[in-house]
Amino acid sequence: MSVRDASSSRRKRSATLADVAEVAGVSASTASRALNGRGELAEATRAAVLEAAAQLDFRPSAVARSLRTRTTFTVGFVVPDVASPFYAAALKGAQGALEESGYRVMLMDSEQQAAGEVAALRTLLDHQVDGLLVATTGLSARRFAEVTRGSETPCVFFDSVIARSGVGSVALDNDPGIRLLVGHLVEHGHDRIAILAGSLAETSGIERLRAFRKAMRRHGVPATGQYERRCRWSVEGAIPATHELLDLPSPPTAVVASSAELALGCLAACRERRLSLPDDLALVCFDDPYFGDLLEPPLTAVGYEPREVGRAAATLLVEAIKDGDGPYRAVTVPVELVRRRSCGCPG
């Protein structure tokens, strides 16, 4: 039977490995070895199998492969907010690295809730994913262990981590980043500097607030609790927090936003009051979103490549899946100051 005749006769159903073997004139086991690149085969045999597979548009069954290898070739990806520019970009980076290694992504949104994160983890483990990439909402190590008990599925945390858990982590360089922002505002002459700190359930929020306090002390600027506001990592959470700061008897002259969403919330609150940035209030941000230079005024920020965060985390996870009992690995992503007009810098 010619390849053309075989292809025509099977148009109404998907080609199988047996079909490929029949057309190539080899056994099914030989066809499997040729397609998977395993075993010693003559080049002519391998070429015949590959040609038959191409002509038949043969697509290996993911279910069959999973049963054979006891893997699903899927990775769970859990984030607090899929709408966040940071997490969206990190997903793209992770997805690219995972697809290069033959894995697909199952995305779950915990909605900034511990209960949502627990539900997401249980769902992914029930689907027998081969690994987990998690930006935690702040689960304790004990709670994470309870949820994943009995599972040997490797987990890499990114952005916010759970101490003594998982096989690795990828975190941003929070302390130097906040130090850059505070130092830059001090250079502009500010001494009443406030921070929108986000939630302190996650390590990113904790580390950025701690770094803010240290940076203020380092510059000899009084750091009082009245200039600190904690809120959800959202535009909606930052708006009332900003109004509270602006209603103080001695309101701040500058604000450090701990994320892009909090910076947008601060901007929204200022526009409600018809305040002009940076004349009435200077604003800087720990995040340089893709739209940062399109805002009015353009946003001064600490920048990094969020796709690299996801890619680095995915790379660690794939290595852990393949290597098994490797050592815990922690990666820190460097940041840099991007000067724009929201702080008072020239255009």
Side-chain angles (χ1 to χ4, degrees), residues 29-88:
S29 60
T30 298
S32 176
R33 292 200 304 275
L35 292 170
N36 291 316
R38 295 184 288 104
E40 295 290 336
L41 292 175
E43 285 303 317
T45 301
R46 192 182 304 277
V49 172
L50 294 177
E51 180 184 359
Q55 291 292 335
L56 294 173
D57 192 23
F58 171 69
R59 297 180 182 181
S61 166
V63 174
R65 184 173 64 160
S66 296
L67 291 172
R68 184 175 65 253
T69 62
R70 296 185 179 181
T71 58
T72 61
F73 296 94
T74 57
V75 165
F77 193 89
V78 184
V79 297
D81 181 6
V82 296
S84 162
F86 168 74
Y87 293 123

Side-chain angles (χ1 to χ4, degrees), residues 283-347:
L283 174 64
V284 296
C285 175
F286 192 109
D287 269 343
D288 185 21
Y290 66 89
F291 51 80
D293 60 347
L294 301 177
L295 297 173
E296 183 52 45
L299 185 61
T300 292
V302 157
Y304 51 89
E305 179 46 66
R307 289 197 184 201
E308 285 306 311
V309 175
R311 187 171 187 86
T315 300
L316 288 185
L317 183 61
V318 170
E319 292 174 355
I321 293 172
K322 293 179 178 178
D323 297 342
D325 298 327
Y328 184 94
R329 294 179 59 190
V331 174
T332 301
V333 177
V335 298
E336 62 181 359
L337 183 64
V338 181
R339 295 172 176 84
R340 299 194 183 100
R341 287 195 287 113
S342 69
C343 63
C345 283

